[in-house]
Amino acid sequence: HLGSEQSSEMATESDATSLLLDSKCSVSSVLNRDVKQYGKQFLFDGNEETCWNSDQGEQQHIALQFSSAVSLSTIVVRFQGGFVGKECNVEGRSASSGSTFHLGDFFPEDINAVQRFDVACLEPVNRIKLIFSSTTDFFGRITIYHLDVLGRTSPA
């Protein structure tokens, strides 16, 4: 599963930057379809008062499409306690072959604090999908106030 230590093959903290500036995002759902209050744009707006809130249901997800190949190193997320993904995994799509593969599992704590999960991404990807297989909410909702994906652009 995803851990807190990085191997020498991954981007180091010093050369890892946010990969979100040149990405497109899609989400599985928005609470009551109210994108003005709970839409995906609030994942990245830097405002601690706004959030993406999924609707109820199993297998909520966030997908990010990058304009070029990237090597991930870290996922940074701040959930709302009580609406946290319990069993989560990351899938990547190979930038060269287009095939989808499992990058790792992560298990966030049910807290409001920022959490970091290191990713062992040994092959450049152009798309990732964060899948929340189960949540701490009885109805399967997820609430995220902040999301960032760190890494570096891969050589062409």
Side-chain angles (χ1 to χ4, degrees), residues 8 38 46 48 68 70 85 91 95 120-121 131 135-136 141:
S8 59
Y38 305 112
E48 295 297 316
S68 60
V70 299
E91 290 180 352
C121 185
I131 302 168
T135 78
T136 57
R141 294 168 296 189

Side-chain angles (χ1 to χ4, degrees), residues 83-105:
F83 299 89
V84 174
K86 285 194 303 192
E87 298 171 1
C88 310
N89 68 72
V90 184
E91 290 180 352
R93 185 173 67 201
S94 170
S96 58
S97 71
S99 62
T100 300
F101 56 95
H102 184 76
L103 286 170
D105 300 308

Side-chain angles (χ1 to χ4, degrees), residues 22-24 63-72 91-101 121 123-129 154:
D22 205 13
S23 68
K24 293 181 181 176
L64 296 167
Q65 176 76 40
F66 304 102
S67 61
S68 60
V70 299
S71 293
L72 305 182
E91 290 180 352
R93 185 173 67 201
S94 170
S96 58
S97 71
S99 62
T100 300
F101 56 95
C121 185
E123 180 179 348
V125 296
N126 59 14
R127 183 177 192 272
I128 63 166
K129 188 174 188 179
S154 296

Side-chain angles (χ1 to χ4, degrees), residues 3 25 31 41 49 56 77 79 81 86-87 106 130-131:
C25 177
L31 183 65
Q41 69 274 17
E49 301 297 316
Q56 63 185 8
V77 62
F79 292 94
K86 285 194 303 192
E87 298 171 1
F106 62 105
L130 307 175
I131 302 168

